[in-house]
Amino acid sequence: MQALRIYAGPAAREHIARQGLRPADVAVIPAAAGGPKGLILGPLDRFIFGPWLSQSAQPIGLVGASIGAWRMASACMPSGVQALAQLEHDYIAQDYEIEPGQKRPTARHISERFAQNLQHFYADQVQALLQHPRYRLHIIAARGRHVLARERSTARTALGYLGAYVSNGLHRKALGAWLERVVFSAPEPASGQLPVLPFATQDYRTRQVALTAQNFHLALRASCSIPFALQAVHDIPGAPPGAYWD
């Protein structure tokens, strides 16, 4: 097992040593950003959401950002295991054109093509994945504030992210002056209420809004929109106005 390392806090370590790790013990699955690095988790994802978690019945919060959000949304689809395998294929098969005179695809072109790919990938499955009987999806995106409130120029965006970087280095809460964490959460199917966020949010400015069929694609695009590589997503329905990034 040299290829896999498991890290656990004292309470979790004691629990695992005493009872082992059982599917019924899982309440939250976080999936971090990481671009193509997220693909190495594909076989593990298919095992976890396939034969392993099927041995339990408890509700589970799925929290994702960037490719992690794409993975967790795919796991919520009616054919989750197959969708996770398709995600790997589609991610690797992405193809972007280089316009004449350019050295690489423009952010506008990548954003437009990526939006089309997401529409095709999820097709008519959005409502079903939002109402999954067990999984509650949470997609994380960053909403720009002040200089970053609108994506008007590369220089302005670079200045804003420089300010965010320096502020974060000085004090974590200071990052909230530049960026606000926005969590798009699928409401509980029975009540329509937003679920309690399954992670702490005291580190910096955070807001929770409903993830719906109307804003799903935009929220997921925003979570995957790496600054400068893709364009920001502006004014997502149901969320505060502004520019949203990965």
Side-chain angles (χ1 to χ4, degrees):
M1 294 294 291
Q2 294 181 353
L4 180 65
R5 294 186 179 183
I6 298 176
Y7 294 87
R13 185 182 181 89
E14 180 183 355
H15 175 89
I16 293 171
R18 186 174 64 253
Q19 303 182 35
L21 180 59
R22 302 167 303 180
D25 295 330
V26 177
V28 183
I29 298 179
K37 294 191 293 293
L39 296 179
I40 65 174
L41 297 172
L44 185 60
D45 282 343
R46 293 195 296 275
F47 171 75
I48 289 174
F49 291 104
W52 196 62
L53 281 180
S54 62
Q55 302 173 54
S56 61
Q58 79 283 7
I60 302 174
L62 306 186
V63 184
S66 193
I67 192 172
W70 192 355
R71 287 167 48 216
M72 295 300 98
S74 300
C76 291
M77 295 175 73
S79 55
V81 174
Q82 290 81 359
L84 287 165
Q86 188 65 43
L87 181 156
E88 294 179 51
H89 173 273
D90 289 4
Y91 192 100
I92 294 170
Q94 291 181 94
D95 182 40
Y96 301 100
E97 300 170 2
I98 300 178
E99 298 177 2
Q102 300 288 332
K103 294 183 178 180
R104 58 185 182 182
T106 64
R108 178 179 179 180
H109 172 65
I110 296 175
S111 296
E112 291 175 349
R113 182 67 61 83
F114 183 58
Q116 294 169 1
N117 291 343
L118 289 182
Q119 289 282 350
H120 175 75
F121 186 90
Y122 291 102
D124 59 352
Q125 302 291 306
V126 174
Q127 196 63 51
L129 73 86
L130 293 177
Q131 296 179 340
H132 193 283
R134 292 186 62 193
Y135 303 148
R136 299 293 166 265
L137 180 61
H138 305 268
I139 295 177
I140 299 177
R143 173 178 172 257
R145 305 185 68 232
H146 305 304
V147 173
L148 294 174
R150 292 281 164 183
E151 185 181 33
R152 293 192 171 91
S153 68
T154 300
R156 184 183 178 93
T157 301
L159 177 63
Y161 273 99
L162 175 62
Y165 176 82
V166 172
S167 298
N168 188 50
L170 295 174
H171 195 284
R172 179 64 170 172
K173 283 189 176 295
L175 178 62
W178 304 90
L179 294 169
E180 176 183 55
R181 178 194 291 125
V182 178
V183 185
F184 294 84
S185 301
E188 298 286 353
S191 66
Q193 299 296 313
L194 291 182
V196 175
L197 289 177
F199 58 92
T201 59
Q202 292 84 4
D203 54 340
Y204 80 102
R205 189 184 183 99
T206 300
R207 186 192 303 258
Q208 183 184 27
V209 299
L211 180 65
T212 67
Q214 289 69 43
N215 64 22
F216 170 81
H217 285 97
L218 292 176
L220 185 56
R221 275 179 53 199
S223 186
C224 296
S225 291
I226 302 169
F228 309 110
L230 285 85
Q231 292 180 320
V233 177
H234 287 83
D235 302 334
I236 300 175
Y244 289 76
W245 279 279
D246 181 348

